[in-house]
Amino acid sequence: MVRKLKQEDNRHLYTTTTFSFQKGHGKNPDPADDYFITQYTEKGWVRGQGIFNTNPPDFKTDYSKALEGTTVPLIIHEVGQYSVYPDLEEIKKYTGVLRPSNFEAVRNNLRKKGMLGLAPDYLKASGTLAVQLYKEEIERALKTKGVGGFQLLDLHDFPGQGTALVGILNAFWDSKGLVSVD
């Protein structure tokens, strides 16, 4: 059973287990933890990237098995991060000192292979899959007893560490046309 803090508890919460690849840490909460941040426990993944390579999304599964024995609320570390094919139309938005050489390389490679016209279809297909996987992963978290929340790395592409095209929005925070708000 997951421990819950009482309403009258007026104290700070602590964790020593903010997800880390450090050996010996991260699969179980440490004794001092008020909550636990991880991608997986010793009983399994609590993040889709560790599941969807072998199991398709099904919108009925949760992470209960992986949380068995966990006694504090669990926060899932960096949900999502599914790659989306680059929107080559974004190249013209780079008008300052940054040059989108990564996008130019993709465009040049497609052009060389006679496949440039397929780029919008690749964007739409990979983006549609990314949206479905985000949805599945977030819904699993929300319906799992003991999950206290989740962290998103970001919902927009991040050009600061090379190419991280993991967003539903582009690096300019503009829509890629993958979702709509009605």
Side-chain angles (χ1 to χ4, degrees):
M1 169 172 269
V2 175
R3 180 180 72 209
K4 292 185 179 182
L5 296 176
K6 296 177 187 166
Q7 186 86 21
E8 64 268 11
D9 283 348
N10 188 14
R11 62 185 178 117
H12 298 283
L13 299 175
Y14 295 96
T15 185
T16 59
T17 55
T18 300
F19 185 74
S20 153
F21 291 100
Q22 182 181 1
K23 287 185 179 185
H25 294 280
K27 289 188 178 182
N28 295 299
D30 286 340
D33 289 342
D34 293 312
Y35 60 98
F36 176 42
I37 301 174
T38 193
Q39 294 180 358
Y40 48 78
T41 69
E42 65 182 6
K43 297 196 176 171
W45 284 90
V46 291
R47 185 171 174 210
Q49 285 186 338
I51 295 170
F52 299 146
N53 284 338
T54 55
N55 299 298
D58 59 31
F59 295 99
K60 61 184 178 193
T61 307
D62 67 14
Y63 296 122
S64 296
K65 289 181 184 173
L67 267 68
E68 286 176 4
T70 302
T71 59
V72 296
L74 182 138
I75 310 276
I76 301 172
H77 181 68
E78 295 183 354
V79 164
Q81 298 185 54
Y82 300 105
S83 295
V84 178
Y85 203 81
D87 181 358
L88 301 181
E89 293 297 313
E90 190 178 326
I91 292 172
K92 55 188 157 197
K93 292 184 178 196
Y94 287 84
T95 60
V97 296
L98 292 178
R99 181 174 172 195
S101 56
N102 52 347
F103 283 43
E104 292 169 344
V106 170
R107 179 189 60 197
N108 294 342
N109 191 30
L110 286 174
R111 183 180 293 135
K112 185 171 125 183
K113 294 176 180 180
M115 299 171 64
L116 188 57
L118 295 174
D121 292 335
Y122 294 160
L123 167 65
K124 185 174 182 179
S126 62
T128 298
L129 177 61
V131 168
Q132 290 173 342
L133 293 174
Y134 266 108
K135 183 179 187 302
E136 164 75 8
E137 194 165 352
I138 290 169
E139 286 183 7
R140 280 183 185 218
L142 292 174
K143 64 185 165 191
T144 304
K145 187 175 181 177
V147 169
F150 53 88
Q151 304 166 330
L152 295 174
L153 178 63
D154 217 329
L155 283 177
H156 86 296
D157 292 340
F158 182 65
Q161 294 175 311
T163 302
L165 303 175
V166 295
I168 305 305
L169 305 174
N170 69 25
F172 296 93
W173 291 87
D174 295 328
S175 174
K176 294 180 182 182
L178 303 173
V179 296
S180 63
V181 179
D182 295 328

